[in-house]
Amino acid sequence: MTTAMVAVYFEVAETVINNLLSRHREELEANGLRVLRGAELQKFKELTLSSCRESYPQPRSGMALWPRRAVLNVAMLLRDSEVARQVRTYLLDMEYMARTAPVDNSAYSPADSLDGHIDRSITHILGTAVVPMFNALIENSGEHRKELIALRQDIQRVERRLCHHHTRLRRLEGPRKDRPLAGVMAAIDAMNGSEFEEHIAGLLRRDGCTDVVVRGGHGDRGVDITGRTPDGRPVVVQCKRFAPHNSVTSPDVQKFLGAAKVLHKADVALYVATCPFTRDALNISAEGGVTAVHRGLLEAWSAGTALNALG
């Protein structure tokens, strides 16, 4: 959009937009605003403005081009524009909806995946904000009517593709016998530490363990969960809810190994993490009799696959 188009959209004088540009140039440029000058401006004039010299004022020293993000930035800065107030209200409503939307922490609910939520949010924004904005611009910007109509059609095609993609995503995320349920790790990543420990305790009980007790917190003596395997052997578990890009290191495993074997005299020791293990950590685990339940193994276990160490 040009500065004139932005002014038309917000129903203010062009000088108001120019004053905003002067006062908040750095912020607007960070959000995509671009000012054409020199040869770049001349080329733009030749390609875009040559057919409308009489109806469109020809820029002399420079021309500002506003992407959608910069236009929304203007809505945050304008005080005396009813359109800007409506845009701000809409953005605040969207932030509230995103912040207060209920989160399903169940590891067995693929329908509400992160990708699906993003698809629905983008589709909603396109249909209720972007397309109406183009409609208003088309009505008030005759010199670029064809280009704006083409852009609106492109956006509407994207909206239709997102709807189609969301339908396919729900179908693909459905349970199948040959793979774990999709969305398992997304649900686990959304848990806090206590919820994660309870989730692991639930998996132990599901697989036949008894006397399962969550001991996470102060005074846990180096383990988070204790219990007994289905055949009665003592089992201890360390739960680490790390970011997926982190890794469990050798010192982490060594510390747990001492607590599991010396303090608790456990026959089965599980180190369960939402991230990978380093090679040294895996070697220490194997040598010390600790089962390293890494992110991939945790996903399969949560989706129903039995853990061999408990058999």
Side-chain angles (χ1 to χ4, degrees):
M1 298 172 64
T2 64
T3 302
M5 292 177 181
V6 176
V8 169
Y9 177 67
F10 286 111
E11 299 177 353
V12 297
E14 189 172 348
T15 54
V16 174
I17 304 301
N18 283 326
N19 288 337
L20 280 181
L21 172 55
S22 177
R23 293 197 303 268
H24 303 281
R25 187 187 191 93
E26 183 176 350
E27 177 182 347
L28 292 167
E29 287 181 341
N31 284 313
L33 174 73
R34 187 175 177 186
V35 179
L36 303 183
R37 290 190 174 86
E40 193 174 30
L41 174 60
Q42 183 61 35
K43 184 176 180 180
F44 179 81
K45 289 163 61 176
E46 292 173 355
L47 294 175
T48 310
L49 305 179
S50 58
S51 62
C52 51
R53 294 183 185 279
E54 294 182 0
S55 59
Y56 196 94
Q58 297 294 306
R60 295 180 180 178
S61 59
M63 169 178 264
L65 297 181
W66 304 73
R68 186 172 70 92
R69 185 178 179 90
V71 174
L72 294 175
N73 196 166
V74 170
M76 299 297 179
L77 299 171
L78 274 176
R79 293 180 302 175
D80 301 324
S81 167
E82 176 61 23
V83 176
R85 187 193 66 79
Q86 292 176 9
V87 173
R88 289 195 296 272
T89 300
Y90 171 77
L91 293 175
L92 290 171
D93 288 344
M94 287 300 298
E95 188 277 337
Y96 176 80
M97 290 170 59
R99 181 167 49 84
T100 60
V103 176
D104 184 0
N105 281 331
S106 170
Y108 308 100
S109 179
D112 292 323
S113 69
L114 179 61
D115 286 344
H117 175 70
I118 293 173
D119 286 347
R120 291 192 299 273
S121 298
I122 294 175
T123 302
H124 178 72
I125 292 172
L126 290 177
T128 60
V130 179
V131 171
M133 182 171 69
F134 272 103
N135 290 339
L137 288 172
I138 290 169
E139 291 297 324
N140 294 281
S141 303
E143 66 274 13
H144 294 300
R145 185 178 183 85
K146 291 183 180 179
E147 293 89 344
L148 290 170
I149 289 175
L151 285 172
R152 182 181 64 182
Q153 291 172 343
D154 288 340
I155 288 174
Q156 289 172 328
R157 279 194 292 271
V158 170
E159 184 179 3
R160 288 193 295 270
R161 287 179 183 175
L162 282 173
C163 291
H164 177 67
H165 170 69
H166 179 62
T167 301
R168 291 183 66 249
L169 187 64
R170 289 181 66 97
R171 183 171 66 251
L172 291 171
E173 284 183 337
R176 275 176 33 186
K177 294 181 180 180
D178 60 342
R179 71 178 183 203
L181 291 175
V184 169
M185 291 310 301
I188 292 176
D189 289 337
M191 297 177 184
N192 59 36
S194 298
E195 291 169 339
F196 180 52
E197 291 173 359
E198 291 294 343
H199 172 66
I200 300 304
L203 295 179
L204 293 170
R205 297 185 185 103
R206 183 202 70 189
D207 290 350
C209 293
T210 58
D211 300 329
V212 177
V213 178
V214 177
R215 302 181 181 277
H218 183 69
D220 59 11
R221 301 185 71 193
V223 302
D224 295 318
I225 303 172
T226 60
R228 290 189 175 276
T229 63
D231 57 4
R233 291 172 294 157
V235 56
V236 296
V237 185
Q238 178 69 278
C239 300
K240 289 298 182 184
R241 196 183 62 85
F242 288 159
H245 61 271
N246 290 331
S247 297
V248 176
T249 63
S250 175
D252 296 327
V253 176
Q254 292 179 43
K255 181 179 178 181
F256 171 61
L257 181 59
K261 300 297 184 179
V262 177
L263 294 179
H264 295 273
K265 295 180 171 51
D267 290 338
V268 178
L270 307 179
Y271 199 116
V272 184
T274 56
C275 65
F277 287 65
T278 65
R279 180 175 298 180
D280 287 343
L282 290 174
N283 291 337
I284 292 293
S285 298
E287 294 171 4
V290 173
T291 299
V293 183
H294 53 73
R295 187 175 179 85
L297 186 55
L298 172 60
E299 179 179 25
W301 187 25
S302 298
T305 301
L307 204 61
N308 291 335
L310 300 176

